[in-house]
Amino acid sequence: MLRVAVIGSGPSGVYTAQSLIEQQTVPDIEVYVLDRLPCPYGLVRYGVAPDHEKIKSLQNNLRTVLEHPGVHFLGNVEVGAPGLGVQELREIFDAVVFCVGAATDRHLGIPGEDLPGSHPATEFVAWYSAHPDAASTRFALAARSAIVIGVGNVAVDVARMLSRRAAELAATDMPQGPLGALADSRVEDVWMIGRRGPSQAKFTTKELRELGSLPGTQVLVRPDELALDPAYRDPAELPAVGRRNVEVLRGWAERPADPAPAQEHGRRIHLRFFLRPVEVLGDATGVRAVRFERTAPDGHGGVTGTGEFEEIEAQLVLRSVGYRGTPQPGLPFDEATGTVPHKEGRVLRNGTPLPGVYVAGWIKRGPTGVIGTNRPCAKETALSLLADAATLAERATAEDPMAALTRAGQRPVPWPGWLAIEAAEAEWGRGLGRGTVKLPDWQGLLEAAHSADVTG
């Protein structure tokens, strides 16, 4: 019997489990997918916007893997400080694969970034997605103006959530607290701002177009800013996504001026380019504006400052400039890349493989690619592990992983516990006259999960 622990139940973790159980080289293998949360699916549950039902439906594919007889989901298991260390895991399992993603956001590194009212966009996403760590987070939705710094898909999601009406979100699984807060939001202007040009923006065309289809919302772009980008004037050499993005932006820039007063449109989304944030302005009571420097293309794919500055009023600032991996206790870590050093998924310490320890997903390659990119990444790691199987199985490990984890002070939530959470969320939603509504806090999740101990 070869027992493998996969740390993390997001796409990279589940695809790793799938690659391990679908192979034919090791006849007797069991995979234990461990997660700090009592719920599976990682960023598919806690990162995909609630109004993106098609992407969220990927949970059904991941569920099929986690329900395989050779795969065991165990939530509510803490790995790393203050939880289980690598050595403890290796005493229970023959191999450990870390699929822990990139858990923190990148910082702007500018004055005022940590003022009240200035947050990483990841916190806002976690809040409206019902991540239990964000249950007590509060945002300045009494703000009239909000700035989202960044021009990737997360920035688009955040701008869209700030602009949607509560009635449109009531049909989603968004928890009651965020839904009520967004219903009471006074935000009128949402600014999504990038330091480079439209041809270098990271959003995909489908997500960009969605902004233009929001009821009661205007999307405003400035033709003079778009024209600063040489590739905007001649997009022929751009990749397909870049060309499509430019076409959408050009259509918004060239449409006839609307004679109706701005206030008749409700909310406004301003897409701005070639502006680099240099300072968040405000005081202990909160943010009041962000100061930007105008940039210009440097001819080498980057931008340079022009010495011209602009202040944009805002009482809420959300930065969306990328994710970053965090050091894992007991593992080597490359601070420059925010990843764990590896070769084909085998963790390397000073260039030498660490026996029985592997990585997959963003902690392996950095926060790049889409959900599907995790498939080949996970398969590569799984093949390396399977090639090492004979050596890994020579070690003595615990007979019963569940009992060993309990002895180590953990209280795992197995698959029936997760099913009990799902049932509780469906019941709560019915009571509210909605569909399924997520439980947003640790207490509610764990009470629902442990009810399975009694009823099941």
Side-chain angles (χ1 to χ4, degrees), residues 249-283:
L249 293 167
R250 191 188 305 280
W252 288 337
E254 294 178 351
R255 65 189 167 194
D258 192 329
Q263 59 267 26
E264 292 186 10
H265 293 280
R267 289 174 176 159
R268 296 170 290 276
I269 299 175
H270 308 259
L271 297 183
R272 300 289 306 274
F273 298 96
F274 292 110
L275 291 173
R276 177 168 58 201
V278 294
E279 185 176 4
V280 178
L281 304 172
D283 54 32

Side-chain angles (χ1 to χ4, degrees), residues 165-191:
R165 304 299 176 181
E168 302 169 67
L169 295 170
T172 73
D173 60 8
M174 180 181 286
Q176 283 295 99
L179 183 64
L182 289 169
D184 294 335
S185 170
R186 298 180 183 178
V187 173
E188 297 176 0
D189 290 281
V190 178
W191 305 78

Side-chain angles (χ1 to χ4, degrees), residues 29 56 115 162 167 201 305:
I29 184 169
K56 288 170 71 68
L115 285 172
L162 286 168

Side-chain angles (χ1 to χ4, degrees), residues 340-361:
V340 172
H342 73 94
K343 183 176 182 181
E344 297 176 339
R346 295 181 179 92
V347 172
L348 301 178
R349 189 187 298 280
N350 299 322
T352 302
L354 204 58
V357 185
Y358 304 83
V359 285

Side-chain angles (χ1 to χ4, degrees), residues 144-306:
R144 190 194 67 77
S145 176
I147 291 176
V148 182
I149 298 173
V151 284
N153 278 345
V154 173
V156 173
D157 281 348
V158 168
R160 194 177 68 255
M161 288 297 104
L162 286 168
S163 304
R164 273 207 186 281
R165 304 299 176 181
E168 302 169 67
L169 295 170
T172 73
D173 60 8
M174 180 181 286
Q176 283 295 99
L179 183 64
L182 289 169
D184 294 335
S185 170
R186 298 180 183 178
V187 173
E188 297 176 0
D189 290 281
V190 178
W191 305 78
M192 192 167 73
I193 300 175
R195 64 185 176 87
R196 296 195 293 177
S199 68
Q200 296 166 314
K202 298 299 184 183
F203 42 63
T204 52
T205 311
K206 178 179 179 294
E207 279 65 30
L208 177 63
R209 283 192 178 121
E210 280 186 282
L211 297 180
S213 63
L214 297 177
T217 301
Q218 261 189 311
V219 179
L220 303 172
V221 293
R222 300 194 178 186
D224 57 327
E225 287 184 346
L226 302 181
L228 292 173
D229 188 340
Y232 176 79
R233 296 192 296 270
D234 182 10
E237 300 301 318
L238 289 176
V241 172
R243 290 198 304 273
R244 290 194 294 267
N245 287 346
V246 164
E247 289 170 7
V248 173
L249 293 167
R250 191 188 305 280
W252 288 337
E254 294 178 351
R255 65 189 167 194
D258 192 329
Q263 59 267 26
E264 292 186 10
H265 293 280
R267 289 174 176 159
R268 296 170 290 276
I269 299 175
H270 308 259
L271 297 183
R272 300 289 306 274
F273 298 96
F274 292 110
L275 291 173
R276 177 168 58 201
V278 294
E279 185 176 4
V280 178
L281 304 172
D283 54 32
T285 65
V287 172
R288 65 171 179 81
V290 178
R291 191 171 192 238
F292 293 89
E293 181 181 17
R294 166 68 63 194
T295 62
D298 64 3
H300 305 287
V303 292
T304 185
T306 65

